[in-house]
Short mmCIF file of all heavy atoms in Angstrom, two decimals:
data_model
loop_
_atom_site.label_atom_id
_atom_site.label_comp_id
_atom_site.label_asym_id
_atom_site.label_seq_id
_atom_site.Cartn_x
_atom_site.Cartn_y
_atom_site.Cartn_z
N ASP I 1 -158.49 54.67 21.75
CA ASP I 1 -158.10 54.87 23.13
C ASP I 1 -157.57 56.34 23.27
O ASP I 1 -156.92 56.84 22.40
CB ASP I 1 -157.00 53.90 23.57
CG ASP I 1 -157.62 52.65 24.17
OD1 ASP I 1 -158.80 52.41 24.01
OD2 ASP I 1 -156.82 51.85 24.74
N GLN I 2 -157.85 56.89 24.41
CA GLN I 2 -157.37 58.21 24.74
C GLN I 2 -155.85 58.17 24.91
O GLN I 2 -155.30 57.37 25.65
CB GLN I 2 -158.04 58.72 26.08
CG GLN I 2 -157.49 60.05 26.51
CD GLN I 2 -158.02 61.20 25.74
OE1 GLN I 2 -159.21 61.34 25.63
NE2 GLN I 2 -157.15 62.01 25.14
N GLN I 3 -155.15 59.10 24.26
CA GLN I 3 -153.73 59.26 24.43
C GLN I 3 -153.37 60.66 24.89
O GLN I 3 -153.98 61.63 24.35
CB GLN I 3 -153.01 58.91 23.16
CG GLN I 3 -153.09 57.45 22.81
CD GLN I 3 -151.85 56.92 22.09
OE1 GLN I 3 -152.03 56.06 21.22
NE2 GLN I 3 -150.70 57.35 22.46
N VAL I 4 -152.49 60.81 25.82
CA VAL I 4 -152.08 62.11 26.34
C VAL I 4 -150.58 62.09 26.26
O VAL I 4 -149.91 61.32 26.92
CB VAL I 4 -152.61 62.37 27.71
CG1 VAL I 4 -152.15 63.74 28.23
CG2 VAL I 4 -154.14 62.27 27.86
N SER I 5 -150.01 63.04 25.45
CA SER I 5 -148.57 63.05 25.30
C SER I 5 -147.92 63.62 26.62
O SER I 5 -148.55 64.18 27.48
CB SER I 5 -148.21 64.02 24.14
OG SER I 5 -148.33 65.40 24.59
N PRO I 6 -146.60 63.39 26.68
CA PRO I 6 -145.88 64.11 27.75
C PRO I 6 -145.94 65.59 27.53
O PRO I 6 -146.34 66.07 26.47
CB PRO I 6 -144.43 63.64 27.56
CG PRO I 6 -144.49 62.43 26.68
CD PRO I 6 -145.75 62.56 25.85
N VAL I 7 -145.69 66.38 28.56
CA VAL I 7 -145.64 67.83 28.40
C VAL I 7 -144.39 68.17 27.69
O VAL I 7 -143.29 67.60 27.96
CB VAL I 7 -145.65 68.53 29.84
CG1 VAL I 7 -145.50 70.04 29.70
CG2 VAL I 7 -146.94 68.17 30.55
N SER I 8 -144.53 69.09 26.76
CA SER I 8 -143.38 69.53 25.90
C SER I 8 -142.35 70.36 26.69
O SER I 8 -142.58 70.73 27.82
CB SER I 8 -143.88 70.38 24.76
OG SER I 8 -144.25 71.70 25.26
N GLY I 9 -141.28 70.65 26.05
CA GLY I 9 -140.31 71.67 26.51
C GLY I 9 -140.90 73.06 26.24
O GLY I 9 -142.05 73.23 25.79
N ASP I 10 -140.11 74.07 26.53
CA ASP I 10 -140.50 75.41 26.43
C ASP I 10 -140.67 75.84 24.97
O ASP I 10 -139.78 75.65 24.13
CB ASP I 10 -139.49 76.40 27.02
CG ASP I 10 -139.51 76.21 28.58
OD1 ASP I 10 -140.46 75.67 29.20
OD2 ASP I 10 -138.50 76.71 29.21
N VAL I 11 -141.87 76.48 24.64
CA VAL I 11 -142.12 77.02 23.36
C VAL I 11 -142.01 78.56 23.49
O VAL I 11 -142.76 79.13 24.29
CB VAL I 11 -143.54 76.63 22.88
CG1 VAL I 11 -143.80 77.28 21.52
CG2 VAL I 11 -143.72 75.14 22.79
N THR I 12 -141.12 79.15 22.76
CA THR I 12 -140.99 80.60 22.77
C THR I 12 -141.96 81.21 21.78
O THR I 12 -141.96 80.81 20.60
CB THR I 12 -139.55 81.04 22.41
OG1 THR I 12 -138.67 80.48 23.39
CG2 THR I 12 -139.38 82.51 22.38
N ILE I 13 -142.80 82.11 22.26
CA ILE I 13 -143.78 82.85 21.38
C ILE I 13 -143.08 84.04 20.83
O ILE I 13 -142.69 84.97 21.61
CB ILE I 13 -145.04 83.21 22.17
CG1 ILE I 13 -145.62 82.02 22.90
CG2 ILE I 13 -146.07 83.90 21.27
CD1 ILE I 13 -146.04 80.88 22.04
N THR I 14 -142.94 84.17 19.52
CA THR I 14 -142.38 85.32 18.91
C THR I 14 -143.27 86.54 19.17
O THR I 14 -144.51 86.43 19.08
CB THR I 14 -142.27 85.06 17.37
OG1 THR I 14 -141.45 83.98 17.14
CG2 THR I 14 -141.66 86.32 16.66
N ASN I 15 -142.65 87.67 19.58
CA ASN I 15 -143.32 88.95 19.82
C ASN I 15 -144.28 88.85 21.00
O ASN I 15 -145.31 89.57 21.07
CB ASN I 15 -144.07 89.50 18.56
CG ASN I 15 -143.19 89.66 17.42
OD1 ASN I 15 -142.06 90.01 17.56
ND2 ASN I 15 -143.69 89.36 16.24
N ALA I 16 -144.12 88.00 21.98
CA ALA I 16 -144.98 87.82 23.11
C ALA I 16 -145.16 89.12 23.84
O ALA I 16 -144.17 89.81 24.17
CB ALA I 16 -144.43 86.73 24.07
N ALA I 17 -146.46 89.49 24.13
CA ALA I 17 -146.72 90.71 24.87
C ALA I 17 -148.21 90.62 25.32
O ALA I 17 -148.99 89.84 24.72
CB ALA I 17 -146.51 91.92 24.04
N VAL I 18 -148.54 91.41 26.33
CA VAL I 18 -149.97 91.48 26.78
C VAL I 18 -150.77 92.16 25.72
O VAL I 18 -150.24 92.92 24.87
CB VAL I 18 -150.11 92.13 28.20
CG1 VAL I 18 -149.46 91.35 29.23
CG2 VAL I 18 -149.67 93.59 28.14
N ASP I 19 -152.08 91.99 25.75
CA ASP I 19 -152.99 92.58 24.81
C ASP I 19 -152.69 92.25 23.33
O ASP I 19 -152.75 93.17 22.45
CB ASP I 19 -153.09 94.12 25.01
CG ASP I 19 -153.72 94.45 26.36
OD1 ASP I 19 -154.59 93.69 26.83
OD2 ASP I 19 -153.34 95.46 26.97
N THR I 20 -152.22 90.99 23.11
CA THR I 20 -151.95 90.54 21.78
C THR I 20 -152.90 89.38 21.52
O THR I 20 -153.42 88.76 22.40
CB THR I 20 -150.55 90.17 21.55
OG1 THR I 20 -150.22 89.10 22.45
CG2 THR I 20 -149.64 91.35 21.73
N GLN I 21 -152.96 88.94 20.26
CA GLN I 21 -153.62 87.68 19.94
C GLN I 21 -152.41 86.80 19.51
O GLN I 21 -151.59 87.14 18.70
CB GLN I 21 -154.59 87.83 18.78
CG GLN I 21 -155.30 86.57 18.46
CD GLN I 21 -156.49 86.75 17.55
OE1 GLN I 21 -156.95 87.83 17.27
NE2 GLN I 21 -156.99 85.66 17.07
N THR I 22 -152.42 85.57 20.06
CA THR I 22 -151.32 84.67 19.80
C THR I 22 -151.84 83.57 18.84
O THR I 22 -152.80 82.84 19.19
CB THR I 22 -150.77 84.05 21.10
OG1 THR I 22 -150.31 85.15 21.90
CG2 THR I 22 -149.61 83.15 20.78
N TYR I 23 -151.23 83.45 17.72
CA TYR I 23 -151.53 82.43 16.75
C TYR I 23 -150.62 81.22 16.93
O TYR I 23 -149.40 81.41 17.05
CB TYR I 23 -151.39 83.00 15.33
CG TYR I 23 -152.39 84.13 15.04
CD1 TYR I 23 -152.08 85.45 15.38
CD2 TYR I 23 -153.57 83.83 14.40
CE1 TYR I 23 -152.99 86.51 15.13
CE2 TYR I 23 -154.51 84.86 14.15
CZ TYR I 23 -154.22 86.12 14.54
OH TYR I 23 -155.12 87.14 14.25
N PHE I 24 -151.20 80.05 16.84
CA PHE I 24 -150.46 78.84 17.03
C PHE I 24 -150.59 77.95 15.78
O PHE I 24 -151.65 77.93 15.16
CB PHE I 24 -150.90 78.05 18.26
CG PHE I 24 -150.50 78.63 19.56
CD1 PHE I 24 -151.36 79.43 20.28
CD2 PHE I 24 -149.27 78.36 20.11
CE1 PHE I 24 -150.98 79.98 21.47
CE2 PHE I 24 -148.90 78.90 21.31
CZ PHE I 24 -149.78 79.69 22.01
#
């Protein structure tokens, strides 16, 4: 069966900036 979690709280991305690649 399809399960969809609740939406999480805020995840802070270290070094967040435009023109970057974000690894998760």
Side-chain angles (χ1 to χ4, degrees):
D1 270 13
Q2 176 75 57
Q3 292 212 215
V4 181
S5 77
V7 175
S8 74
D10 291 342
V11 178
T12 299
I13 307 299
T14 301
N15 302 326
V18 295
D19 293 329
T20 59
Q21 184 168 349
T22 302
Y23 294 86
F24 287 96

